[in-house]
Amino acid sequence: MIHDILLIGMTVGCALVIYLSFKAQGKSGPAKYDERQALARGKAYRLGFYVLSVYMLANALYYLMTESQWADPVVNAFLGFYLGTMAFVVSCIRNDAYFALNQHPRSSTLLFAVLAAMNLLSGLMNLWDGESIFTDGMLNYLALNFMMALMFVVLLIALAVKRAMSRQNREADE
Amino acid sequence: MKNLRLKSARAALDMSQQALADQVGVSRQTIIAIEKGDYNPSIRLCMDICRALGKTLNDIFWEE
């Protein structure tokens, strides 16, 4: 029953992301990045790949050394995805390469905030229902909501810091 | 190395970084990076910038 709900939630989440991606594309066409942004995004993809690789190696080493797992396979897989994605997005934000020329930061920022809040609320509701994020000493899939909320909070902080720095440098640059 | 010739050519036309970026089709941060010397633009982008400022490649990008 719980797995069915999880599958439904994941399916709805993926469908929503795909729908929003196509909807955003329809309004202003495909994302347009200039050459500097494309270069920065390429470097960010590489960083994301390295972060994911290091995480997977660290995971494997932990298992080899302790012969135990610290989290169930679903959490293990998704955490690697979250870390790689965070590395990519933060690097892009830092190099002004996350938002395309024809994109508005406001809608993405709002989406991040909504997704952070939804995931945090979902996680808290599970805890309120008496569920635990640990099973036999291992993190279980119920921890994913908190991890996802944390990821979006980190991205929001990165956006806020970048925005503050850009404002500070604006007059100096001109 | 900073590109002060680009900055002065832009200032001579009283053009903001954003205005130049819009005309050339890049982000404002790209123009900033070029002026600061943090990014080496492609020949195509160099030519687009020269065209927007009414200057030649020698005037703005070639080393003296």
Side-chain angles (χ1 to χ4, degrees), chain A residues 109-167:
Chain A
T109 308
L110 186 63
L111 183 66
F112 285 175
V114 166
L115 288 171
M118 276 173 63
N119 275 285
L120 186 61
L121 189 65
S122 185
L124 288 171
M125 278 170 65
N126 286 328
L127 290 180
W128 184 264
D129 288 341
E131 305 273 2
S132 172
I133 60 172
F134 290 101
T135 306
D136 299 330
M138 290 193 312
L139 268 177
N140 61 36
Y141 68 92
L142 293 173
L144 287 176
N145 287 122
F146 291 110
M147 287 180 183
M148 199 147 182
L150 182 63
M151 181 181 82
F152 283 114
V153 165
V154 167
L155 298 183
L156 282 168
I157 291 170
L159 281 170
V161 167
K162 185 64 190 174
R163 199 171 169 200
M165 282 171 63
S166 296
R167 251 190 219 153

Side-chain angles (χ1 to χ4, degrees), chain A residues 34-37 39 95-96 101 166 169-174, chain B residues 7 10 17 25-30 32 36 39 41-42 45:
Chain A
D34 67 30
E35 57 181 56
R36 183 198 60 85
Q37 288 177 314
L39 193 67
N95 292 298
D96 296 302
L101 298 174
S166 296
N169 293 335
R170 202 174 185 106
E171 279 180 23
D173 289 336
E174 287 285 357
Chain B
K7 193 166 185 172
R10 185 175 56 77
Q17 287 170 333
V26 297
S27 63
R28 181 177 157 266
Q29 288 76 17
T30 297
I32 292 169
K36 280 186 173 173
Y39 176 67
S42 64
L45 181 53

Side-chain angles (χ1 to χ4, degrees), chain A residues 41-55:
Chain A
R41 289 175 72 82
K43 288 178 182 173
Y45 277 123
R46 192 172 59 187
L47 176 66
F49 169 73
Y50 287 152
V51 166
L52 176 62
S53 302
V54 165
Y55 167 78

